[in-house]
Amino acid sequence: MDMMMALAAVIALLAAYLLGAIPFGLIIANARGVDLRNSGSKNIGATNVFRCVGAKWGMLAFLCDMLKGFGGVYCACLASVMLSTETLMNPAYAGRLLLLHVLCGTAAMLGHIFPVYLKFKGGKGISTALGLLFGVAPLAACIGFGGWIVCFVISRYVSLASCIAAVIVGSCMWTPFYAGMPLWYKILISILAVLAILKHTKNIVRLCNGTENRFAFTAKQRAARAAKLAAQAEKEANA
């Protein structure tokens, strides 16, 4: 029985990873004639789609990337299809299934960050992580997403908002809201929050140096951003 469960888990994890590795942002941008790897921040994520292709296409990329994380969580159901009724009725299976859901969502997130289709050079995984959280920790996901919106609207820094959201989600695991969850669950979700922050190391450095680009909502903001980028390029050229 354990061998069959292990095989089913491996297949579910592989399916989740391959789903997460689909570069929807790159596909959407290519369909619009833009190669994200040579445009904007050169990142394949939804933020760069917003920047280089347009708001509606950025929203589509965000939704697709989020659904990868959510769908990755439910790749764990593939294991149930492969197992016998006797195994499914085993009381120990429920705890293992929760672990497999979290691990499959994690596999989808890692697929986005390290996609096999793009030589393991992917995005930062925030949208996919949000989908993962909606699948396994919906309350933390809602609180974290709310914090992201507030921080983003105030600061217009996507990276800062993403890091703040990760801190909120990780902190939620150690509040009474999740007191009844297993210790491994809290630790694993917290590790994912730390990974999300680590993926923004370069952004954090730019934030500290005052060189991180803000998101532009208005024509005036876009003009200011363009002027800032031109000044930075001139400074680098003269260095």
Side-chain angles (χ1 to χ4, degrees), residues 28 33 49 55 61 70 81 130 204-205 212 215:
I28 291 168
V49 178
F70 188 80
V81 175
L130 180 61
I204 293 170
V205 171
E212 180 76 334
F215 195 88

Side-chain angles (χ1 to χ4, degrees), residues 112-167:
H112 179 83
I113 297 172
F114 307 108
V116 64
Y117 312 121
L118 300 176
K119 299 180 180 180
F120 305 103
K121 296 178 181 179
K124 292 184 170 66
I126 297 300
S127 303
T128 308
L130 180 61
L132 182 172
L133 289 170
F134 274 121
V136 300
L139 178 59
C142 290
I143 296 173
F145 189 48
W148 186 94
I149 291 173
V150 171
C151 183
F152 176 59
V153 170
I154 293 174
S155 71
R156 292 193 287 121
Y157 287 121
V158 174
S159 56
L160 178 61
S162 298
C163 290
I164 293 297
V167 170

Side-chain angles (χ1 to χ4, degrees), residues 52-232:
C52 301
V53 187
K56 65 179 180 179
W57 302 108
M59 284 297 297
L60 178 60
F62 172 80
L63 180 61
C64 288
D65 285 345
M66 186 176 71
L67 288 175
K68 289 194 304 187
F70 188 80
V73 168
Y74 286 94
C75 281
C77 295
L78 292 173
S80 300
V81 175
M82 298 178 61
L83 299 176
S84 65
T85 303
E86 179 184 355
T87 301
L88 296 175
M89 295 299 291
N90 189 322
Y93 180 69
R96 294 181 181 181
L97 183 60
L98 174 61
L99 175 59
L100 186 57
H101 275 298
V102 177
L103 290 178
C104 281
T106 302
M109 178 180 171
L110 292 176
H112 179 83
I113 297 172
F114 307 108
V116 64
Y117 312 121
L118 300 176
K119 299 180 180 180
F120 305 103
K121 296 178 181 179
K124 292 184 170 66
I126 297 300
S127 303
T128 308
L130 180 61
L132 182 172
L133 289 170
F134 274 121
V136 300
L139 178 59
C142 290
I143 296 173
F145 189 48
W148 186 94
I149 291 173
V150 171
C151 183
F152 176 59
V153 170
I154 293 174
S155 71
R156 292 193 287 121
Y157 287 121
V158 174
S159 56
L160 178 61
S162 298
C163 290
I164 293 297
V167 170
I168 291 172
V169 168
S171 300
C172 279
M173 293 298 106
W174 307 98
T175 65
F177 293 126
Y178 288 91
M181 299 305 292
L183 180 61
W184 64 259
Y185 173 96
K186 301 175 185 180
I187 292 174
L188 186 51
I189 299 297
S190 298
I191 290 173
L192 292 177
V194 172
L195 176 61
I197 294 172
L198 290 176
K199 285 295 294 181
H200 286 82
T201 301
K202 292 181 180 178
N203 302 85
I204 293 170
V205 171
R206 289 196 294 267
L207 283 167
C208 293
N209 293 336
T211 57
E212 180 76 334
N213 292 319
R214 294 176 185 263
F215 195 88
F217 292 109
T218 66
K220 183 178 180 180
Q221 290 171 353
R222 286 192 290 272
R225 185 180 65 187
K228 180 180 178 181
L229 290 173
Q232 288 177 359

